[in-house]
Amino acid sequence: MYAGSRAQYRSLRRLTRLPDETAVWPTHGAGSFCSAPPGTERTTSIGAEKQANPLLAAPDEEAFVSRLSASLGSYPAYFDRLAELNRRGPAVLTAVPSLPALTAGQVRALLADGGHVVDVRPAARYAAGHIPGSLSIPLRDQFATWLGWLLPGEAPIAFVTDEDQDVSEIVWQAYKIGYERLAGRLPGGMAAWQQAGFPACATAFVTPDQAPAAPYVDVRQEAEYVAGHVPGALHLELGALAAHAAEVPHGAVVACGHGERAMTAASVLEGAGHISLTVLNGGPADYAAAHGRHLTEGGAR
């Protein structure tokens, strides 16, 4: 990483020789794990960056490398795997990938044989009832990120969906990060599962005013946590949660910024044997307001 940082320093020094009015456009959308934290503007200029960018204000190469390294957070596990995949080149698709229909029995057998079941329904739907041992990853723009961060790329995956969800979106998001062992989906979702006589689990999903007096576990990224968190919160990033599941207190309230990542975290913890968890439908500011508290800044783990 340091060799890349030093090369970037030299590259930026060359760019600063351009006229101040030179426009700068993003290489991709804000929020990428492979970039420093972005600002709120979509475009900028060389002159504006000279004035406001703390990295360009670094007095020398060593200070630049130190600042850049400190600004980068954790990144998805699949990044490491994709480097080799991109070097070799992906397999050529001869047809549009699909998700075959699976019976409830086939899904159950896949899970028992070491495969994975990913439930892509909204967090509230997962909370109301889900397959024991399944992983909640709501289908949204960040779906591929969490799929690739939390699951290995080798084991087969089955999906639980709502009937109105776009199955092709699941397939394309998975394929673009090299996840091609997609076993299929369960038509009928949880209704089909329960009609087959198989058990289901539920997870408490509550608004901040309904949250119990219990330890608060914050699974957001470090930068989010530092910017403001509930006093006394235990900070465990979602991407590293499986390795730290034993640190989570019994009956904890699991929270993120809105509720989606927290539900994913709860499914990870339930898979590790935790019970009686509560997921917060909201964020730290909502929780603090409901409980008459103020957020604390700093204190990164």
Side-chain angles (χ1 to χ4, degrees):
M1 180 183 72
Y2 294 114
S5 299
R6 295 183 188 284
Q8 189 169 27
Y9 173 81
R10 293 189 292 272
S11 176
L12 287 175
R13 289 298 131 189
R14 290 194 297 272
L15 289 175
T16 58
R17 301 190 195 113
L18 295 171
D20 284 355
E21 62 272 17
T22 303
V24 178
W25 294 77
T27 55
H28 44 54
S32 170
F33 289 97
C34 58
S35 65
T40 57
E41 299 297 326
R42 292 287 296 142
T43 62
T44 184
S45 67
I46 293 294
E49 291 303 302
K50 286 180 181 178
Q51 292 293 321
N53 193 315
L55 290 173
L56 286 182
D60 53 40
E61 184 173 320
E62 295 304 320
F64 174 88
V65 170
S66 178
R67 291 182 188 182
L68 179 60
S69 301
S71 72
L72 297 175
S74 54
Y75 59 89
Y78 75 86
F79 274 28
D80 293 331
R81 298 192 292 272
L82 274 187
E84 176 60 19
L85 181 61
N86 288 335
R87 188 191 67 80
R88 296 197 315 265
V92 177
L93 296 176
T94 57
V96 177
S98 62
L99 282 182
L102 300 175
T103 66
Q106 288 174 315
V107 172
R108 190 185 194 194
L110 178 143
L111 195 57
D113 289 341
H116 301 279
V117 174
V118 175
D119 194 318
V120 306
R121 297 175 299 153
R125 295 274 291 157
Y126 180 88
H130 55 269
I131 295 174
S134 63
L135 182 67
S136 171
I137 309 180
L139 184 59
R140 53 192 181 124
D141 290 346
Q142 298 83 8
F143 174 75
T145 293
W146 294 112
L147 180 71
W149 204 327
L150 300 174
L151 290 183
E154 301 78 24
I157 305 172
F159 297 91
V160 177
T161 70
D162 274 336
E163 292 306 306
D164 62 350
Q165 289 184 295
D166 185 357
V167 175
S168 66
E169 181 66 14
I170 298 172
V171 174
W172 287 120
Q173 286 211 41
Y175 265 65
K176 74 181 182 181
I177 60 168
Y179 280 53
E180 300 180 7
R181 294 199 63 187
L182 309 183
R185 62 182 285 265
L186 177 62
M190 287 305 299
W193 177 263
Q194 292 178 293
Q195 286 168 7
F198 299 143
C201 295
T203 303
F205 191 39
V206 305
T207 56
D209 59 298
Q210 298 171 325
Y216 186 105
V217 179
D218 190 327
V219 301
R220 296 175 300 158
Q221 299 295 108
E222 182 175 295
E224 295 174 280
Y225 177 83
V226 170
H229 57 269
V230 172
L234 172 63
H235 180 224
L236 296 169
E237 283 194 19
L238 173 55
L241 186 61
H244 296 277
E247 300 175 30
V248 176
H250 175 75
V253 173
V254 184
C256 60
H258 301 283
E260 290 87 356
R261 282 177 291 171
M263 191 60 70
T264 301
S267 68
V268 170
L269 293 171
E270 288 173 356
H274 280 268
I275 58 174
S276 302
L277 296 169
T278 298
V279 175
L280 188 68
N281 184 4
D286 305 312
Y287 181 90
H291 293 266
R293 307 173 72 179
H294 298 283
L295 298 184
T296 300
E297 296 181 0
R301 176 184 172 87

